[in-house]
Amino acid sequence: TAYGPGLSFGTTGQPAEFTVVIKNAGPGGLSVAVEGPSKTEIQCVNNKDGTCTVSYLPLAPGDYKINVKFRDQDIVGSPFYAKVFGETRKRAQVSMGTTSDVPLRIPNTDISALSASVTTPAGTEEPCILKQLADNLGVSFTPKTAGEHMINIYQAGKHIP
């Protein structure tokens, strides 16, 4: 079985999570596929208690179909259908080991009231530099590892989505 909010709804640019229960299911492989308006990266973590936590990152609003299979058979309730709300998010392509400037869609704000960090693929949060680019604000950072990096912007200590 599976349960959790990510099976029925989500928000663009934020991980949608759900849990799959495989306890007492016997040997076999778990597969998860998410189809929708944007490509999504899927992560599955074995909680070592008979469950797996699955998360996917939708970048566009719309309807997503989530297929969950165990031993190549749909689990009960699969496929699931999730409605994702929000604005389309774009990914910036940056190169490992090279300093990159990433533009942000933040209204012109006093840059001195903002701070920024980057969450690495390993989950650590590292500082980055906020700067004024040609038409908007941006951040500058150097990825040290390959994979998805999440930029976090804070105003007066409060996260700006």
Side-chain angles (χ1 to χ4, degrees), residues 10-90:
T11 303
T12 56
Q14 296 181 13
E17 287 190 355
F18 60 93
T19 301
V20 180
V21 179
I22 54 175
K23 191 173 190 172
N24 302 326
L30 176 68
S31 67
V32 177
V34 179
E35 301 171 26
S38 73
K39 180 182 173 193
T40 61
E41 290 195 26
I42 302 168
Q43 292 185 333
C44 184
V45 175
N46 184 344
N47 297 320
K48 307 219 187 284
D49 63 357
T51 67
C52 292
T53 299
V54 178
S55 67
Y56 62 97
L57 185 67
L59 297 177
D63 296 319
Y64 286 76
K65 179 180 175 183
I66 303 156
N67 292 293
V68 182
K69 295 183 177 191
F70 188 77
R71 282 194 222 118
D72 294 323
Q73 299 290 318
D74 281 319
I75 68 165
V76 174
S78 180
F80 301 91
Y81 296 91
K83 181 78 170 174
V84 172
F85 300 92
E87 294 182 21
T88 300
R89 300 283 182 106
K90 290 187 177 179

